[in-house]
Amino acid sequence: MTQTMNNVPRTLFEKVWQSHLVASPAGEPALLYIDLQLVHEVTSPQAFDGLRLANRKVRCPDRTVATVDHNVPTTSIADRLHIVDQTSARQVEALRKNCAEFGIELFDVQSPSQGIVHIIGPELGFTKPGMTIVCGDSHTSTHGAFGALAFGMGTSEVEHVLATQTLPQSKPKSFRINVEGALPTGVTAKDVILHIIGRIGTAGATGCVVEYAGSAIRALSMEGRMTVCNMSIEAGARAGMIAPDDTTFAYLKGRPFSPGTTPIGLSSRSAAEGSASSTIDESIWNQAVSHWRSLVTDPGATFDRELTLNAADITPTVSWGTSPGMVTGIDSTVPLADPNASEADRQAFDRALEYMGLTPGQPIQQIPIDCVFIGSCTNGRIEDLRAAAAVVRGYKVATTVRTMVVPGSQAVKSQAESEGLDRIFKDAGFAWREPGCSMCLAMNPDMLSPGERCASTSNRNFEGRQGRAGRTHLVSPQMAAAAAIAGHFTDIRTWKFKP
């Protein structure tokens, strides 16, 4: 293993950054080579129009992958083929035309590999350790769970990468967050990242690439690691990363676009589990893994900032306000105002309480809910659905609650159905949907009505995020499922699971 450059210990971030530097002019942003650009229908139309105006081609179509996710209805296959909303329909159709014209692979609504862009990238094996990955979407940081440097960007930057396969970037600072110890019963990766954001604040990692480390992080599955990295942006981070290890390699081996894999047909179910019918050239695979093992922070490498948290201090967590940093434990209450807060912070606190319809001191477990959404690029993977189904099994949804489960991809949906998870949800009264971003954001038919309160497994609880005047509480899949049954937030640690 090559440990250093010029015998100087380096962080994981520095290794990936330095290996992708095309140019580093003094006093200007560095120019990075981009290994993979992920494209969806919302932030790409203007970028392709810009290419046409400049008479440019896509520099590397083979390093560009597209799917439809943000705008597509999840209600039925028919609704996805004939989108009623004209803005959404135009954006989806534009992506189809652009991908055909510029030679980009598109996973359209009828593809067995369609899904949320940050779910299909890993499950198909496009995402790999040590890569630079970009997308016109904030939650591109998800891919950092594999030891990739992955971040979101704006439409003009989408065009720049399409045209040049490079991107100017100022070098971020480094921030390591260690979570040590075993996670208590009922505490998930979602609780870990909500706890972190609550601790450091929504600007706590601004200008940084966060490396998550420690025994609690190493013990997470890849799905859990993706959940943690997904929400890095909610703490202000430029990206989040976790060093690859045997858990990473086991997840990637045999996936359709992983090194050494030659797929023999691509089934959506096998993509979700990483068991596609394929042949694997072990020599190519082993060579890739040998390189990936070097993508760790060297002993003695320094970070600009570092924070260590005790896993035992984390409880099942619920957001109460209108930012992901406004969180508390399920066994707690809506907080009281901080007497030492600034005037601006006090006003934001009061505004959040007013918008959410809550009062200080109100027990979290006494907050009734109207809706439950299980899905999104944060918690729409097969592990998330299995966890929620285990809570739901044998119960019925409260009569006052409407519910939906939206698999993150066709692969996840197919795998869940093969395991009978869809039947568990439907028997309990949940709606079982087609894959897409769905109620994570009010950009498709799945949205909250004014005043409606939702327990959501998504990543943002801003005002209007899930619909005008809708009220969003961020929770784990287990906590969302339990709330659907109880009709209010309840402590998953005391839940009576049925066989």
Side-chain angles (χ1 to χ4, degrees):
M1 179 186 300
T2 302
Q3 179 180 332
T4 64
M5 173 181 285
N6 298 326
N7 209 33
V8 177
R10 295 181 293 163
T11 65
L12 166 61
F13 160 65
E14 288 170 332
K15 291 180 179 182
V16 179
W17 177 272
Q18 290 169 2
S19 68
H20 288 79
L21 275 177
V22 176
S24 187
E28 298 180 26
L31 189 66
L32 287 184
Y33 183 79
I34 302 301
D35 292 310
L36 175 67
Q37 178 169 200
L38 301 167
V39 176
H40 60 83
E41 72 274 23
V42 176
T43 55
S44 63
Q46 301 93 327
F48 285 107
D49 287 343
L51 292 181
R52 290 190 187 91
L53 288 171
N55 196 30
R56 292 192 178 103
K57 296 180 180 180
V58 172
R59 174 82 176 188
C60 298
D62 58 332
R63 292 183 177 272
T64 311
V65 177
T67 191
V68 288
D69 56 6
H70 282 59
N71 284 342
V72 293
T74 66
T75 42
S76 70
I77 295 175
D79 289 341
R80 295 155 73 82
L81 294 174
H82 304 285
I83 300 175
V84 174
D85 181 83
Q86 291 304 299
T87 299
S88 296
R90 283 194 297 270
Q91 289 182 331
V92 170
E93 186 57 33
L95 183 61
R96 290 170 179 152
K97 292 180 178 179
N98 289 329
C99 288
E101 177 180 344
F102 289 94
I104 294 170
E105 183 162 17
L106 169 65
F107 297 108
D108 208 340
V109 290
Q110 293 173 293
S111 169
S113 299
Q114 179 269 338
I116 301 174
V117 67
H118 305 312
I119 289 184
I120 69 168
E123 74 184 11
L124 291 174
F126 287 113
T127 302
K128 303 175 188 69
M131 294 179 72
T132 49
I133 301 174
V134 295
C135 177
D137 184 274
S138 301
H139 296 102
T140 308
S141 55
T142 305
H143 307 265
F146 292 81
L149 176 58
F151 48 87
M153 57 184 181
T155 296
S156 62
E157 293 174 307
V158 172
E159 180 183 349
H160 192 284
V161 177
L162 287 173
T164 69
Q165 207 58 37
T166 64
L167 187 65
Q169 286 287 294
S170 298
K171 187 177 182 180
K173 293 185 179 299
S174 59
F175 184 3
R176 181 162 61 185
I177 298 179
N178 305 291
V179 185
E180 299 290 357
L183 293 177
T185 300
V187 174
T188 70
K190 184 63 164 289
D191 302 304
V192 170
I193 190 60
L194 287 174
H195 180 84
I196 289 172
I197 299 168
R199 174 71 178 270
I200 67 176
T202 53
T206 298
C208 296
V209 169
V210 175
E211 180 178 341
Y212 300 97
S215 56
I217 299 297
R218 312 294 334 155
L220 293 175
S221 65
M222 286 312 302
E223 288 87 350
R225 296 179 189 187
M226 283 186 266
T227 294
V228 170
C229 288
N230 173 273
M231 291 191 67
S232 299
I233 187 66
E234 311 309 336
R238 192 72 182 99
M241 303 179 77
I242 296 174
D245 58 13
D246 287 339
T247 300
T248 317
F249 311 146
Y251 179 96
L252 287 174
K253 189 172 186 179
R255 292 188 181 272
F257 295 93
S258 285
T261 301
T262 303
I264 305 173
L266 177 58
S267 75
S268 58
R269 175 184 173 183
S270 60
E273 288 293 276
S275 57
S277 298
S278 59
T279 60
I280 300 174
D281 186 321
E282 293 290 343
S283 64
I284 294 176
W285 170 254
N286 290 336
Q287 184 178 9
V289 170
S290 178
H291 168 61
W292 294 343
R293 289 192 186 280
S294 70
L295 299 174
V296 295
T297 292
D298 296 327
T302 59
F303 292 81
D304 295 298
R305 295 177 59 194
E306 193 152 7
L307 173 69
T308 297
L309 301 173
N310 186 349
D313 294 335
I314 305 174
T315 63
T317 303
V318 181
S319 71
W320 60 266
T322 53
S323 86
M326 294 176 169
V327 296
T328 191
I330 182 62
D331 52 0
S332 187
T333 62
V334 176
L336 303 175
D338 181 356
N340 298 316
S342 67
E343 180 61 27
D345 287 342
R346 283 196 297 271
Q347 289 179 1
F349 179 87
D350 292 340
R351 170 62 186 170
L353 288 177
E354 179 184 5
Y355 182 86
M356 295 298 291
L358 301 173
T359 57
Q362 183 177 356
I364 297 297
Q365 295 190 57
Q366 291 182 16
I367 299 175
I369 61 166
D370 307 300
C371 180
V372 165
F373 166 59
I374 297 175
S376 83
C377 62
T378 313
N379 284 127
R381 299 176 181 82
I382 188 64
E383 178 181 282
D384 301 311
L385 303 195
R386 288 170 180 157
V391 174
V392 168
R393 183 181 287 109
Y395 287 96
K396 296 291 183 182
V397 170
T399 57
T400 56
V401 181
R402 70 180 179 104
T403 58
M404 65 180 72
V405 178
V406 185
S409 68
Q410 295 289 353
V412 171
K413 182 174 184 284
S414 179
Q415 179 65 28
E417 290 173 347
S418 75
E419 296 178 14
L421 303 185
D422 62 320
R423 178 52 53 194
I424 292 173
F425 286 119
K426 288 188 281 190
D427 286 349
F430 282 81
W432 179 250
R433 297 296 191 86
E434 293 294 319
C437 293
S438 185
M439 196 181 276
C440 177
L441 73 173
M443 202 174 278
N444 55 73
D446 299 339
M447 61 181 69
L448 297 178
S449 299
E452 198 172 18
R453 187 182 302 279
C454 182
S456 178
T457 67
S458 54
N459 43 52
R460 286 182 170 165
N461 55 339
F462 307 150
E463 293 186 20
R465 171 72 176 184
Q466 293 188 298
R468 185 176 63 85
R471 295 163 170 167
T472 302
H473 295 269
L474 304 177
V475 290
S476 70
Q478 295 94 317
M479 287 282 286
I485 305 303
H488 56 83
F489 291 113
T490 188
D491 194 338
I492 192 63
R493 295 172 297 185
T494 60
W495 190 256
K496 291 182 172 58
F497 289 87
K498 295 185 179 182

